[in-house]
Amino acid sequence: SGRQDECILLDDNDNVIGNANKYDTHVFDTARPKGTCHRAFSVFLFDSQGRLLLQQRAASKITFPSVWTNTCCSHPLHGYEPTEVDTPADVASGLTPGVKQAALRKLKHELGIEGLNVGQFKFLTRLHYWAADTVTHGPSAEWGEHEIDYILFAQVKGALPVKPNPEEVGAVKWVSIKELTDLMDPAKNPTLLWSPWFRIITDRLLVGKGWWKDLSGALKSDKYVEKQTIYSFGPPFPGLGYEHRGCYRASQVTAKPAAKQGAYGKLKTHEEGKLSQLCRIDEVFTALLFKVSSPLKGRVDPQRFGPGLAADVQYCDKMLGKVSRSFAAVIRQLPQELVLDILVFYLVLRA
């Protein structure tokens, strides 16, 4: 989950400076107007005909939902074995085994693709970009990406079973260069959304530098490999002409961040003056009556499953209160035979 996965934090030169959970690294606020720079990878998987596999990100994604993008885009993580943290020597050699291990893991998780190995991936270069998701979350977007993205090519021979995970992927499509060019043409498909990193890579490198047209050369030689180069882009991506829907501009974060409701910060809270609240006599009376009478008492019994799990039950109860105070108040009043089942189910659902 976003709270457990530890992204690899970087400086602008791709040097590892620490790690932090995935949730925090994607927050855009006054303290982090460009988010937090972390390592990522983008897999471009081609079939024997030279067609590229695209995916549409699931509509439930917090950042860039429903956008079309390359085959698989995700993060190598801290703490995995085999390690997904590449050293400067790994990058200088062009082998980048860490991001390739992460690519194998996420191809299986997102698309059900198995049978590939690290040796089938070709590292080409790195892309440093940041983009607030203003299309989804508005001009004061609180979510976005700030990544140094490792670009990986691979090609499969023969049939490749693809089984998209609906929690990650909304749709998939194999496309030729001509088909992709037409799909990304705003005059022909004005409503399609594309990820900012995929637009940059496609315009400047995949098509712009002829990588796809010379797919065999890109995969079998080092003619396009740039071990020392880090391409850098930031909103509004000058010169790329992203004036149609799908343009990701800088987040206009104000000095006072928008109030958030729930764990994800998607909904703005309703604000009402204190005088207006006090004028609601019936609600004030009920609140006072409740305060002087017996308050709600939770029915969560830490010993329900024995002393060995008591600490886990208490932790879940604590997290429930952090995720949603209103739901916590309701769930804690359920009968004892139901309360823990519903509590855990709700936490899993929110995660």
Side-chain angles (χ1 to χ4, degrees), residues 122 124 155 157 214-224:
K122 181 76 173 184
L124 293 177
Q155 187 172 29
K157 306 296 182 183
D214 185 22
L215 183 58
S216 178
L219 287 165
K220 298 178 181 179
S221 75
D222 288 344
K223 62 195 296 185
Y224 299 113

Side-chain angles (χ1 to χ4, degrees), residues 263-278:
Y264 301 118
K266 285 185 173 181
L267 303 176
K268 306 305 177 197
T269 58
H270 174 68
E271 294 186 0
E272 190 172 356
K274 294 203 178 291
L275 179 60
S276 175
Q277 295 178 45
L278 290 172

Side-chain angles (χ1 to χ4, degrees), residues 22 39-42 72-76 105-106 110 147 149:
K22 188 164 64 176
R39 189 168 285 172
F41 64 84
S42 285
C72 181
C73 341
S74 193
H75 313 93
R105 173 175 57 82
K106 289 302 291 184
E110 293 187 1
E147 302 177 330
D149 192 13

